Amino acid sequence: MKPFLRMLHEAANDPDVISIKMTLYRMARQSKVVEYLIEAAENGKEVFVLVELKARFDEENNIEWSRRLEEAGCRVVYGLDGYKVHSKLCLITRKTEAGVEYYTQITLIVRDEEDGICRYVHLGTGNYNEKTSRLYTDLSFMTSNVQIGMEAARIFQALAMGQTPDELKHLLAAPNCLQNRVIEM
């Protein structure tokens, strides 16, 4: 969780970051994740957050944080009809110059995207709750892979319209792109 929090904080203050998009399920009472998203919005970034309100025992906390996100200028969507969004997905979009090296505390990234955009993706099991992350052994993955970044963007585009993606090649996302792919593999 600490490397992710560092990356999110850097993104909130990086003038070249365009947007941050996240799914949130259970948030800590003292959430650095939400604080950094609010900071990003206050710094002029587009911040989109899907908040799943159906989080047993955490509904009130999620509603309060959602209000604070909206007040800061974040676009908040409250789950999808008929589904419970229980995922950990974050997409950070940043302007780059072809061939430019970009250093973060986490890694050195050399990008050469044709569109001048680099997409950083964090995905994993569990949720973005700093407190409970110390108790569980969740799996986590961070990448700037172009194909994964584009698919994460497609997922957020679908979520913003209250839908789920129909077809993905690299990521597995229920309800349409998980079961058949797992069976196939």
Side-chain angles (χ1 to χ4, degrees):
M1 185 61 125
K2 287 180 183 177
F4 172 74
L5 288 173
R6 271 197 313 271
M7 182 175 77
L8 189 60
H9 189 243
E10 284 183 26
N13 292 288
D14 183 340
D16 290 327
V17 167
I18 301 164
S19 67
I20 300 173
K21 300 177 182 183
M22 286 187 77
T23 58
L24 293 176
Y25 175 64
R26 291 188 189 276
M27 295 169 264
R29 297 238 184 261
Q30 306 285 320
S31 178
K32 288 283 185 202
V33 170
V34 177
E35 286 178 28
Y36 295 155
L37 291 172
I38 289 170
E39 189 174 338
E42 290 172 347
N43 287 335
K45 280 114 182 60
E46 173 195 347
V47 178
F48 171 86
V49 184
L50 181 139
V51 176
E52 180 55 66
L53 294 179
K54 295 176 247 166
R56 192 170 29 147
F57 307 120
D58 284 334
E59 290 89 352
E60 188 176 327
N61 189 47
N62 286 4
I63 291 168
E64 180 57 34
W65 277 123
S66 298
R67 284 189 188 128
R68 292 198 44 207
L69 286 163
E70 286 178 334
E71 288 168 5
C74 302
R75 180 171 175 214
V76 179
V77 173
Y78 296 97
L80 299 175
D81 285 340
Y83 297 106
K84 184 173 184 178
V85 179
H86 188 188
S87 67
K88 185 189 286 186
L89 180 63
C90 177
L91 172 64
I92 298 169
T93 306
R94 184 178 190 277
K95 295 181 291 187
T96 64
E97 295 179 37
V100 168
E101 294 181 356
Y102 172 60
Y103 175 77
T104 72
Q105 293 178 346
I106 301 163
T107 188
L108 173 66
I109 301 169
V110 181
R111 303 309 309 160
D112 192 17
E113 273 79 36
E114 291 177 21
D115 62 0
I117 299 293
C118 187
R119 293 167 185 86
Y120 303 92
V121 177
H122 177 264
L123 58 120
T125 61
N127 53 58
Y128 286 114
N129 183 319
E130 302 98 289
K131 184 177 179 186
T132 61
S133 71
R134 293 185 207 117
L135 305 172
Y136 302 114
T137 308
D138 289 324
L139 300 175
S140 186
F141 180 68
M142 287 196 275
T143 184
S144 62
N145 176 281
V146 174
Q147 291 88 2
I148 292 174
M150 295 296 284
E151 285 196 358
R154 286 183 51 213
I155 290 171
F156 279 109
Q157 186 176 37
L159 293 174
M161 296 185 299
Q163 302 171 353
T164 59
D166 288 332
E167 187 177 327
L168 299 170
K169 184 176 179 182
H170 302 284
L171 298 176
L172 302 175
N176 304 325
C177 309
L178 178 64
Q179 183 178 4
N180 291 344
R181 289 283 311 284
V182 170
I183 291 169
E184 191 179 287
M185 290 188 283

